Amino acid sequence: MSVEEEKNKVELEDHKHQEMAEEIPPELEALLHTDPAKGLTSAEVAQRLEQFGRNELSEKKKNPFLKFLGYFTGAIAYLIEIAWILSGVVQDWANFGIIGALLFINAAIGFIEESKAENALDALKNTLALKTRVWRDGELNEIDVVDLVPGDVIVLRLGDIVPADCRLLGIGVHGEPVEGNLQIDQSALTGESLPVSKGKGATAYSSSIVKQGQQMGVVTKTGEHTFIGRAATLMSNTNEQGHFQKIINRIGNFLVLVTILLVVIIFIVLMVKDKGHNVLDILRQVLVLTVAAIPVGLPTVMSVTMAVGAKQLAKKEVIVKRLTAVEEMASVSVLCSDKTGTLTLNELTFDEPWLCKGYTSDDILMYSYMAAEQGANDPIEYAVRTAARAQLDTLQSLGEKETKIPGFKTTSFLPFNPVTKLTQATILNEETGEVFKVAKGAPQVIIKLVGGNDDAIHAVNSLARRGLRALGVARTINGDIEQWELIGMISLLDPPRPDSAATIARCHEMGVSVKMITGDQLIIAKEVAQRLGMQRAILEAQKLVEADVPEEEIVRRCVKADGFAQVVPEHKYRVVELLQEQGLLVGMTGDGVNDAPALKKANVGIAVHGCTDAARSASDIVLLAPGLSTIVDGITTSRAIFQRMRSYALYRITSTIHFLLFFFFVTIIFQWQLDAILLIFIAVLNDAATLVISVDNAQISAKPDKWRIGQLITMSFTLAVFLTGASFAHFFIARDVFNVTNDELGTIMYLHISSCPHFVIFSTRLSGFFWENLPSWTFTIAILGTQVFAMLISVFGVPGLTTAIGWGWGCSVIAISLGYFVVLDFVKVFMFRIWSFELTAKLWPTPTRRRKLSARKIEKELNTRVTSNIEKVRTAVRAIHAINLLQNGNTSEKTTH
């Protein structure tokens, strides 16, 4: 492929990318042929304003009071609220106050921690320019951008924010033809790393910035119909329930179902035995049992644990905006990362050049600097000047505004223009008096200038295939200002951040797959991916929306790809959506308006350093430090927090099931009950102590964490059955063997039910044996402290609360509880070791699990075959090597003879 063909291919790809989002229906196209000298009339503006609406993004705000009430929803919350109302009905004011306080504390923590200072749509709205110049009724006026309508003719100048999507007209403010194109920075919209050159007929998108030039344009789309408006629509349509809320609701639904079922049975049995004479008394007894069984502290402990984790992350420059994102980040298995400005520096820099014989890297930099337009805002010129000043000793001594090269004088300079496609300078060597010319420009132009060079053509094609932008540099030689010699080719690239490759490698080690997403061309994406240590399996975004391809194939492409190129906001959103449909938890990083919809759609949206307001508002987590390195800190901390929450959930579900099982049978069979105040005392005191789990030591998992609900409930039920057995053993031994009084029995069972399940939390902290990762001193003291307190009030007794049972019973019950948690620890480890996905799929064979199990079997068989074939090849290679050694040995012997 020639240089010109390669250039045309790149320009065609650029054009396709630029026009991808610009689809003008015929009825709208008919309204765009406005006379540039006069503009629209006031009547036309009024009509179109009514038809298309104002040039602004609609806002949907949720009432803060309704938002606060939202924290009173969910299975556990509903059951607590019912218990609260019933406690008022039976005039149990102590429970009424305790339950009401817990309800409002839970809601307040959630509301305060998750309150957002800004709305995502507000931020998108604020990115629009405030005023713009427009031709109307034959006059050039300055108006508010919200009043723009399709067909308006507007003026775009250096520094302007484009107020609406518009088609460039290629003429100046008074209708005169303009030379050169507009340079427009639209990196925040499309992800392209460089300002884009746009001429007559091209589309300038709303909220992009004019970096160079002046032109008029006709407005094509306004408000929610613009490129940025579609991003806002996607964001407003993304209001899914978070992963953590779904998990808590599933746990809550199970506990509520079990609680209601057993409590209703107890209520019916007691009513039958009492023949309905004392309904309020029975209701009061059942209510106390319900309150004690409900995990009222579950939302509070979870919220506090996540809040403490958020503060830990803040110290590492990771700001958490949505509290539950702390937990969800631990489960993220795919991280989709925007390339420009996130994985790369978003600035064009000098890369490894291709050099002709006799020239060095310093030479091509020096000559490039001589032919650079000083002070120009063009990113290529800026990259050349920056690299030269940084690397060349002769230029490092220059002041910031000095441009003269020591020993050389520029006698004339021809700036770049679209016709010649090069810059040219005439230089005087003040020491020797030699005069020569230097030229820098498009590769095909410079190669033609020097009379052709096949090696240079191959070099440019090679650079183009790698996505590197090339510039040719040449100079005149031997005092002949018409005889040109090629120096080489500069290559320019938006380079990866210094820490990006290491961060991606670390993510892979932690079981998190990283997928790069960029608006740049495919070849550029592949080059950057290779430099980041990623595979080059990059997919063009159009492959995700092909109408004639089955959905299953599109999903397979999405999962297998290492990245996606030439994307628009809809594509990023689509990638996240496809991955989530596979059951994957997806993290998305980005910094621009084009990233905002995907940031909000993802399970965890992460706005990186230097992001736009729109990206920051749509995200769940904001990184204050440049690059992605702090994400590793975030994943590590979130996994520690996840382990603490899973530890508490396993403990709390176990305690609840144990409580319900024991009191269900002891009430039904023996009509025995514990005093209501002791039940409440256990629930409140033990839940308060477990709040310190938020600062406990945690064993961080090597892979993404998952809430395996089936495993969690099964293990909880198993441990609860063992605890129930221990409770009945205490009950029968105290009552039938030692013949204690009923009051003493109540105190003994209070101490046992308070301590035995509570000590299980030392076991549930991790999947291995408890001694593999010992708890923190704060956590240990808090847990033991509550039970020492329970033991003391049991040993000495408290009038109206407990009956004294003495040191013998007190120490024995605590000692047995401590020893029993060790027994349960072995049960827990055994269950974790035998538990597998295969076991779950066999016990609860859902269609999804069957498909996954089948896929795993096929993958396992393929891996076995591949391993077997590799081993056969290795055996054959070793045999051949041995034969060669033997033959060489025989040859040596013959030679010797």
Side-chain angles (χ1 to χ4, degrees):
M1 186 184 292
S2 69
V3 176
E4 194 64 37
E5 288 173 335
E6 186 70 34
K7 175 176 175 292
N8 291 337
K9 178 187 174 185
V10 171
E11 286 181 349
L12 180 62
E13 288 181 347
D14 271 340
H15 179 73
K16 282 166 61 182
H17 183 91
Q18 289 172 16
E19 300 304 313
M20 195 180 302
E22 182 62 12
E23 299 172 1
I24 307 295
E27 60 272 16
L28 179 57
E29 181 67 43
L31 303 178
L32 304 182
H33 303 286
T34 309
D35 182 354
K38 296 181 180 179
L40 298 175
T41 64
S42 298
E44 289 173 321
V45 170
Q47 181 185 356
R48 296 183 187 190
L49 199 58
E50 184 176 349
Q51 180 181 355
F52 296 100
R54 288 161 66 85
N55 181 34
E56 61 184 355
L57 303 176
S58 62
E59 48 185 318
K60 299 177 183 178
K61 290 188 176 181
K62 188 173 181 180
N63 186 295
F65 180 69
L66 295 178
K67 184 178 178 182
F68 179 71
L69 290 181
Y71 292 96
F72 292 92
T73 59
I76 294 176
Y78 292 145
L79 190 57
I80 296 173
E81 287 156 17
I82 292 171
W84 184 48
I85 294 169
L86 288 177
S87 62
V89 171
V90 300
Q91 298 181 355
D92 187 349
W93 302 118
N95 279 334
F96 185 83
I98 292 170
I99 298 170
L102 286 171
L103 267 174
F104 281 94
I105 288 171
N106 287 340
I109 289 175
F111 182 78
I112 292 169
E113 291 291 344
E114 294 187 13
S115 289
K116 297 181 179 179
E118 52 198 6
N119 181 279
L121 295 179
D122 283 340
L124 283 169
K125 182 179 178 180
N126 291 336
T127 60
L128 294 172
L130 299 177
K131 296 280 187 181
T132 189
R133 298 173 74 202
V134 59
W135 281 99
R136 282 186 179 173
D137 296 317
E139 295 182 0
L140 187 62
N141 299 311
E142 188 172 71
I143 67 168
D144 293 332
V145 297
V146 295
D147 295 327
L148 284 177
V149 293
D152 264 327
V153 177
I154 60 174
V155 179
L156 298 175
R157 299 171 300 177
L158 173 67
D160 284 352
I161 298 175
V162 181
D165 287 1
C166 61
R167 181 183 297 160
L168 299 181
L169 298 176
I171 56 177
V173 66
H174 297 296
E176 72 282 4
V178 295
E179 290 188 10
N181 296 337
L182 286 185
Q183 296 294 322
I184 297 181
D185 179 2
Q186 57 183 36
S187 60
L189 302 176
T190 64
E192 293 167 296
S193 55
L194 295 172
V196 180
S197 178
K198 296 199 175 191
K200 182 179 180 180
T203 298
Y205 296 122
S206 171
S207 291
S208 55
I209 303 170
V210 179
K211 289 293 187 179
Q212 189 172 315
Q214 175 179 298
Q215 272 195 48
M216 288 205 299
V218 59
V219 173
T220 57
K221 295 181 180 180
T222 58
E224 294 179 353
H225 304 290
T226 61
F227 191 92
I228 188 177
R230 291 206 304 276
T233 302
L234 283 173
M235 289 173 64
S236 63
N237 290 337
T238 306
N239 292 302
E240 297 180 0
Q241 188 182 46
H243 169 259
F244 182 68
Q245 283 89 345
K246 292 177 183 177
I247 296 299
I248 291 298
N249 284 344
R250 287 174 67 184
I251 294 174
N253 290 338
F254 169 76
L255 293 178
V256 167
L257 182 64
V258 173
T259 301
I260 291 176
L261 179 64
L262 296 183
V263 166
V264 167
I265 293 173
I266 292 173
F267 179 76
I268 293 171
V269 170
L270 292 178
M271 285 287 289
V272 170
K273 289 184 176 180
D274 191 60
K275 297 181 180 180
H277 292 151
N278 299 298
V279 178
L280 283 179
D281 287 341
I282 294 172
L283 189 60
R284 190 177 288 110
Q285 292 174 21
V286 172
L287 173 64
V288 170
L289 200 61
T290 306
V291 172
I294 298 171
V296 288
L298 181 64
T300 304
V301 172
M302 295 294 193
S303 295
V304 169
T305 302
M306 289 186 290
V308 170
K311 289 181 175 61
Q312 293 171 351
L313 288 172
K315 294 177 182 178
K316 299 178 180 180
E317 297 189 290
V318 179
I319 305 302
V320 177
K321 292 180 57 192
R322 179 172 61 85
L323 203 57
T324 54
V326 175
E327 175 273 336
E328 290 168 10
M329 195 171 183
S331 303
V332 165
S333 55
V334 179
L335 181 65
C336 297
S337 177
D338 176 54
K339 176 186 77 71
T340 306
T342 304
L343 294 175
T344 64
L345 294 172
N346 194 21
E347 56 184 46
L348 206 60
T349 57
F350 184 78
D351 202 63
E352 191 66 30
W354 177 83
L355 298 166
C356 290
K357 189 175 181 180
Y359 289 103
T360 66
S361 177
D362 285 355
D363 291 334
I364 198 169
L365 262 182
M366 176 62 81
Y367 289 118
S368 300
Y369 187 83
M370 291 176 177
E373 186 175 354
Q374 302 298 328
N377 291 324
D378 182 82
I380 294 176
E381 298 291 272
Y382 179 79
V384 169
R385 296 198 307 266
T386 302
R389 282 176 171 263
Q391 295 184 34
L392 300 178
D393 294 337
T394 54
L395 300 180
Q396 288 177 353
S397 59
L398 295 179
E400 186 177 341
K401 295 185 179 180
E402 288 184 80
T403 59
K404 185 179 182 300
I405 305 170
F408 296 90
K409 182 180 180 181
T410 302
T411 57
S412 69
F413 185 85
L414 296 175
F416 180 88
N417 72 66
V419 178
T420 62
K421 296 184 179 178
L422 56 77
T423 59
Q424 184 174 300
T426 303
I427 308 296
L428 168 66
N429 186 326
E430 294 177 330
E431 185 176 334
T432 63
E434 178 191 9
V435 176
F436 59 94
K437 290 183 178 180
V438 181
K440 169 175 64 63
Q444 66 273 17
V445 173
I446 298 298
I447 290 172
K448 184 178 180 181
L449 186 67
V450 300
N453 187 312
D454 290 339
D455 290 339
I457 293 172
H458 291 310
V460 173
N461 287 339
S462 175
L463 291 172
R465 282 191 293 271
R466 291 169 54 201
L468 297 174
R469 188 166 298 209
L471 279 180
V473 183
R475 63 155 291 174
T476 57
I477 57 172
N478 301 327
D480 185 349
I481 59 172
E482 300 301 328
Q483 185 180 350
W484 291 89
E485 180 178 75
L486 185 64
I487 298 171
M489 296 288 166
I490 292 174
S491 60
L492 298 167
L493 179 74
D494 176 17
R497 290 184 179 275
D499 61 343
S500 290
T503 300
I504 291 171
R506 185 75 181 95
C507 286
H508 286 159
E509 289 172 10
M510 300 177 79
V512 179
S513 171
V514 179
K515 296 183 184 292
M516 180 177 70
I517 302 182
T518 177
D520 272 330
Q521 299 166 26
L522 183 64
I523 52 176
I524 296 176
K526 287 186 174 183
E527 175 68 17
V528 173
Q530 182 175 342
R531 294 185 180 217
L532 290 170
M534 302 172 68
Q535 300 297 318
R536 290 171 61 93
I538 308 298
L539 194 69
E540 285 185 325
Q542 286 298 313
K543 299 289 185 182
L544 298 174
V545 292
E546 291 181 338
D548 56 343
V549 178
E551 182 77 3
E552 294 78 11
E553 173 60 19
I554 290 178
V555 170
R556 190 194 67 80
R557 290 175 180 176
C558 186
V559 173
K560 294 293 183 184
D562 295 296
F564 307 90
Q566 293 180 251
V567 300
V568 295
E570 290 91 335
H571 293 145
K572 296 187 179 187
Y573 188 94
R574 175 73 167 151
V575 168
V576 174
E577 187 176 46
L578 289 171
L579 293 171
Q580 287 176 334
E581 287 175 1
Q582 287 298 102
L584 300 171
L585 258 72
V586 182
M588 173 75 199
T589 73
D591 62 347
V593 174
N594 62 318
D595 302 313
L599 286 172
K600 192 169 184 186
K601 174 66 176 171
N603 298 97
V604 182
I606 305 168
V608 299
H609 173 75
C611 60
T612 61
D613 287 342
R616 186 183 300 110
S617 297
S619 65
D620 306 305
I621 291 174
V622 180
L623 306 183
L624 299 184
L628 292 181
S629 58
T630 48
I631 281 185
V632 174
D633 292 330
I635 293 173
T636 304
T637 303
S638 63
R639 288 186 183 179
I641 293 163
F642 182 95
Q643 293 298 329
R644 293 172 188 143
M645 290 196 295
R646 188 173 66 176
S647 165
Y648 174 75
L650 180 56
Y651 150 74
R652 198 63 187 85
I653 297 170
T654 300
S655 298
T656 300
I657 297 174
H658 157 252
F659 190 93
L660 289 169
L661 286 177
F662 175 72
F663 281 102
F664 176 77
F665 288 112
V666 85
T667 303
I668 295 293
I669 300 171
F670 301 105
Q671 287 82 51
W672 184 87
Q673 284 192 331
L674 198 60
D675 285 345
I677 188 66
L678 290 178
L679 291 175
I680 299 297
F681 211 64
I682 291 172
V684 174
L685 192 64
N686 287 5
D687 268 340
T690 51
L691 282 172
V692 296
I693 200 171
S694 59
V695 294
D696 184 30
N697 297 331
Q699 191 175 54
I700 299 168
S701 57
K703 300 295 180 183
D705 291 302
K706 290 183 180 178
W707 284 99
R708 295 176 174 87
I709 300 299
Q711 181 192 67
L712 188 67
I713 291 175
T714 304
M715 292 189 69
S716 298
F717 187 82
T718 304
L719 295 176
V721 168
F722 275 88
L723 284 170
T724 304
S727 297
F728 274 109
H730 273 75
F731 181 81
F732 289 128
I733 290 172
R735 190 190 69 168
D736 300 335
V737 177
F738 289 92
N739 298 313
V740 298
T741 66
N742 195 55
D743 289 340
E744 289 174 332
L745 180 61
T747 303
I748 291 169
M749 293 311 298
Y750 156 72
L751 182 57
H752 162 76
I753 293 170
S754 175
S755 62
C756 200
H758 202 46
F759 288 149
V760 171
I761 200 168
F762 287 131
S763 173
T764 61
R765 293 176 56 256
L766 62 162
S767 57
F769 292 106
F770 74 92
W771 60 78
E772 293 176 6
N773 182 26
L774 295 175
S776 68
W777 280 109
T778 305
F779 182 72
T780 304
I781 291 169
I783 299 301
L784 292 179
T786 56
Q787 301 317 309
V788 168
F789 175 76
M791 183 184 71
L792 291 175
I793 65 173
S794 300
V795 168
F796 297 106
V798 176
L801 185 64
T802 58
T803 300
I805 57 174
W807 284 105
W809 274 110
C811 293
S812 298
V813 171
I814 292 295
I816 291 170
S817 296
L818 280 170
Y820 201 63
F821 106 76
V822 178
V823 174
L824 294 183
D825 194 55
F826 280 89
V827 174
K828 174 209 67 181
V829 171
F830 172 75
M831 291 192 68
F832 266 120
R833 288 182 177 176
I834 67 168
W835 200 280
S836 64
F837 175 77
E838 288 75 11
L839 179 63
T840 307
K842 289 175 182 176
L843 293 176
W844 295 280
T846 63
T848 303
R849 285 171 180 162
R850 287 197 198 99
R851 285 196 301 271
K852 285 186 178 180
L853 190 60
S854 176
R856 287 190 180 189
K857 285 181 179 178
I858 294 171
E859 187 177 357
K860 187 176 181 180
E861 288 175 4
L862 288 173
N863 290 337
T864 303
R865 289 179 188 174
V866 170
T867 304
S868 176
N869 291 336
I870 291 173
E871 191 56 39
K872 287 178 182 177
V873 171
R874 285 176 177 170
T875 303
V877 169
R878 284 195 292 266
I880 293 169
H881 183 61
I883 292 169
N884 289 337
L885 286 175
L886 187 61
Q887 288 177 344
N888 290 337
N890 292 337
T891 304
S892 299
E893 278 187 38
K894 289 176 182 178
T895 304
T896 303
H897 288 306

